[in-house]
Amino acid sequence: MDRVIKYIESNYDKYIDELKEFLRIPSISTLPENKSDMQAAARFVADKLKDAGMNRIEIFQTEGHPLIYGEWLGAPGKPTVLIYGHYDVQPVDPLELWDNHPFEPTIKDGKIYARGATDDKGQMFMHIKSVEAYFKTMGHLPLNVKFIIEGEEEIGSTNLTPFLKQNNDLLKCDAVLISDTALFSPGTPTITYGLRGLAYMEVEVTGPNQDLHSGTYGGAVDNPITVLAEIISKLHDKDGRITIAGFYDDVLSLTRKERENFKVLKFKENGFAKQIGLKELKGEKGFTTIERIWARPALDCNGIFGGWTGLGAKTVIPSKATAKISMRLVPHQDPKKIAKLFTKHIKNLAPSTVKVKVRDLHGGYPVITLLDNPATIAASKAMAKAFGKKTVFMREGGSIPIVVEFAKRLKVSPVLMGLGLNTENLHSPNEHFNLNHFKLGIKSSAYFLDEYSK
Ligand code: BES
Ligand code: MN
Ligand code: MN
């Protein structure tokens, strides 16, 4: 073990250079013009798995972006861990708000800035490097390892979901390890045991059959933008609760024990607000901020458009107005059921002066993982060793829809050992990854393989 850790320490600069190379590939999964970059990123991952010492590397082409598989099964009798990550990244806009180009990784104050640095290229790369350290020093791993790396996490894991169903044997394992979440705070080893789910909807309100002059028609017709704004404003009550009938029916209540555990973490509401330029926070009455984010559902309008949105003035009553609305869900809410309740509710709210279309864009199930499962215990010990501190357990407000599929198809309780920070601007300009956490993550991964092999 000492040799593995020493190897990691002495190869740190090389690892960062390789990570930079990875981050230069603009693997934006949602944009058709980046399709060939997705292939290049998949190649990169496959090559690095091979260089690390893994066997049976395969790039599986799908109808979307490729999946990469690799394995090393040279430890019969020992458990098998499946490591998951994603090489796709979010779009970079607004580009003008970046201090450096998103695909020219730049190091400042011990942080590497680039799109995908923390979500998820940097985090996923840690595991390839820990495996490499074992092969280079010991010639073998302490247990069996499989990798499955996808390129469609940011667009709903469309092809990994059926792949899981069809390749149960290939992916069969005793534990799934994922680094795609955050630490509770810088330097605090953290295991995440819950993620929220998601129901993402679009509401389109249509009034007149064409855009109208607001002088010749204004005052005589209902305006779709006003109607949409009214609908949106009715989705919460004065206590910050979501008004959709039946919305809370399946919500798993917080236990007193869990609320106490959250309190022990000493989350600083003031600092949290300040960081994002706010004087005051707002949310569902009766819950603290971390309870609201981790264990309560939320409904947010993500975008709204209609009418004239360009520079200057144009006098127009638009024919249509549209809103994108997401709902973050908690166990045991079902995104399909919630989408139906939402649709019904919106239709009920719509006045007879307009037509309303509701589309279900995509969704994902919330998850809660087991804390007493051997892999979780091993990960918690591993992180504590790497960081020299006690590991804390938290839940998370974000979503990784494939996690539930792993639990369901492979019958294992996934372990979320994330090394990011929620302040690292994932999905926004100046995304970055703390290089100290990168290093601690490689060590945590190495300790995990050792701990779990016991
Ligand atoms: N890694 C994130 C999920 C995440 C975010 C975990 C913040 C911990 C903290 C993941 O890549 C992501 O962005 N998920 C999407 C869901 C997807 C269906 C687009 C999300 O949460 O919006
Ligand atoms: Mn991610
Ligand atoms: Mn993401």
Side-chain angles (χ1 to χ4, degrees):
M1 199 65 226
D2 283 354
R3 279 164 61 205
V4 176
I5 296 298
K6 281 231 174 66
Y7 182 90
I8 292 169
E9 283 168 354
S10 52
N11 281 278
Y12 182 49
D13 289 343
K14 175 180 89 97
Y15 290 169
I16 292 176
D17 284 342
E18 291 176 12
L19 175 59
K20 277 185 171 168
E21 203 186 319
F22 191 16
L23 291 171
R24 282 192 197 104
I25 309 171
S27 47
I28 305 170
S29 49
T30 198
L31 299 179
E33 62 263 37
N34 292 97
K35 211 168 160 59
S36 65
D37 300 309
M38 298 304 291
Q39 294 291 337
R43 258 270 63 88
F44 181 92
V45 172
D47 288 348
K48 291 298 165 196
L49 284 171
K50 188 155 196 296
D51 294 347
M54 298 297 292
N55 296 332
R56 204 182 154 185
I57 316 292
E58 252 182 90
I59 296 182
F60 289 97
Q61 296 298 337
T62 71
E63 276 167 34
H65 304 304
L67 292 161
I68 306 105
Y69 175 82
E71 65 177 33
W72 186 83
L73 304 177
K78 292 285 187 180
T80 301
V81 57
L82 176 69
I83 298 173
Y84 162 84
H86 64 93
Y87 67 85
D88 65 323
V89 304
Q90 287 278 338
V92 298
D93 59 287
L95 187 60
E96 65 277 11
L97 295 184
W98 285 77
D99 294 334
N100 58 281
H101 191 278
F103 297 113
E104 280 160 21
T106 306
I107 297 175
K108 258 183 296 180
D109 302 329
K111 296 165 191 149
I112 187 161
Y113 287 80
R115 171 57 87 229
T118 186
D119 184 15
D120 177 46
K121 284 174 170 172
Q123 295 205 51
M124 164 212 123
F125 201 55
M126 301 180 312
H127 298 292
I128 302 183
K129 294 298 109 179
S130 85
V131 163
E132 175 188 304
Y134 272 99
F135 283 119
K136 292 278 152 70
T137 54
M138 322 293 281
H140 58 87
L141 299 177
L143 43 47
N144 304 300
V145 173
K146 297 177 176 179
F147 277 88
I148 185 78
I149 309 294
E150 73 160 319
E152 298 185 307
E153 195 278 337
E154 302 291 8
I155 51 172
S157 300
T158 325
N159 288 291
L160 178 53
T161 309
F163 185 89
L164 265 181
K165 258 184 240 173
Q166 289 149 17
N167 295 276
N168 244 288
D169 265 356
L170 182 72
L171 300 177
K172 196 169 152 12
C173 59
D174 303 293
V176 175
L177 179 64
I178 302 170
S179 293
D180 192 24
T181 49
L183 300 171
F184 176 69
S185 63
T188 306
T190 310
I191 298 290
T192 295
Y193 67 92
L195 293 169
R196 287 199 289 189
L198 185 67
Y200 201 113
M201 313 293 292
E202 188 175 271
V203 178
E204 185 188 86
V205 175
T206 307
N209 60 5
Q210 62 179 88
D211 287 3
L212 304 172
H213 189 290
S214 68
T216 49
Y217 288 91
V221 299
D222 214 352
N223 184 321
I225 298 180
T226 310
V227 171
L228 184 58
E230 273 168 5
I231 291 175
I232 294 169
S233 71
K234 285 179 188 147
L235 297 177
H236 290 94
D237 68 12
K238 63 172 191 346
D239 292 331
R241 275 176 71 89
I242 294 153
T243 53
I244 299 168
F247 185 84
Y248 290 94
D249 284 1
D250 302 323
V251 168
L252 177 68
S253 299
L254 271 156
T255 61
R256 189 141 52 117
K257 179 101 182 60
E258 200 172 21
R259 298 185 90 164
E260 274 164 20
N261 289 343
F262 287 0
K263 281 212 184 78
V264 173
L265 294 172
K266 295 207 176 12
F267 179 77
K268 307 248 182 355
E269 305 222 352
N270 286 340
F272 177 79
K274 221 168 161 186
Q275 175 96 38
I276 48 175
L278 291 177
K279 281 203 287 272
E280 234 177 287
L281 299 170
K282 190 177 187 298
E284 188 185 359
K285 199 174 163 187
F287 295 93
T288 65
T289 295
I290 47 174
E291 287 170 352
R292 289 168 181 166
I293 298 173
W294 294 353
R296 299 295 297 172
L299 180 150
D300 277 286
C301 185
N302 293 235
I304 179 161
F305 52 97
W308 178 244
T309 56
L311 287 178
K314 179 190 180 196
T315 47
V316 64
I317 296 171
S319 165
K320 285 181 199 303
T322 308
K324 311 263 186 186
I325 296 175
S326 71
M327 288 163 282
R328 293 287 167 171
L329 310 177
V330 299
H332 301 293
Q333 287 178 296
D334 178 336
K336 293 199 186 95
K337 182 173 164 192
I338 292 294
K340 282 202 188 104
L341 294 176
F342 177 88
T343 305
K344 199 168 145 207
H345 189 70
I346 298 290
K347 297 246 153 116
N348 284 340
L349 288 177
S352 50
T353 47
V354 297
K355 283 195 215 80
V356 172
K357 239 191 238 154
V358 182
R359 294 187 195 96
D360 178 357
L361 296 188
H362 64 90
Y365 284 84
V367 71
I368 195 119
T369 69
L370 300 173
L371 287 177
D372 57 358
N373 127 70
T376 310
I377 296 167
S380 142
K381 281 189 191 163
M383 283 192 110
K385 255 193 194 168
F387 283 70
K389 268 192 210 165
K390 209 169 155 232
T391 300
V392 305
F393 293 85
M394 71 170 196
R395 286 167 70 172
E396 175 62 65
S399 312
I400 311 175
I402 200 69
V403 174
V404 165
E405 301 297 323
F406 281 129
K408 197 161 88 188
R409 300 284 159 204
L410 305 174
K411 312 249 177 318
V412 297
S413 182
V415 180
L416 301 167
M417 186 175 86
L419 273 291
L421 290 173
N422 285 333
T423 51
E424 287 182 328
N425 293 4
L426 45 165
H427 296 203
S428 41
N430 298 322
E431 177 177 350
H432 56 277
F433 188 26
N434 182 315
L435 288 171
N436 189 41
H437 295 152
F438 174 63
K439 193 174 180 183
L440 290 170
I442 302 171
K443 290 185 185 175
S444 299
S445 172
Y447 283 126
F448 172 83
L449 300 179
D450 181 52
E451 282 292 338
Y452 191 52
S453 76
K454 299 173 188 165

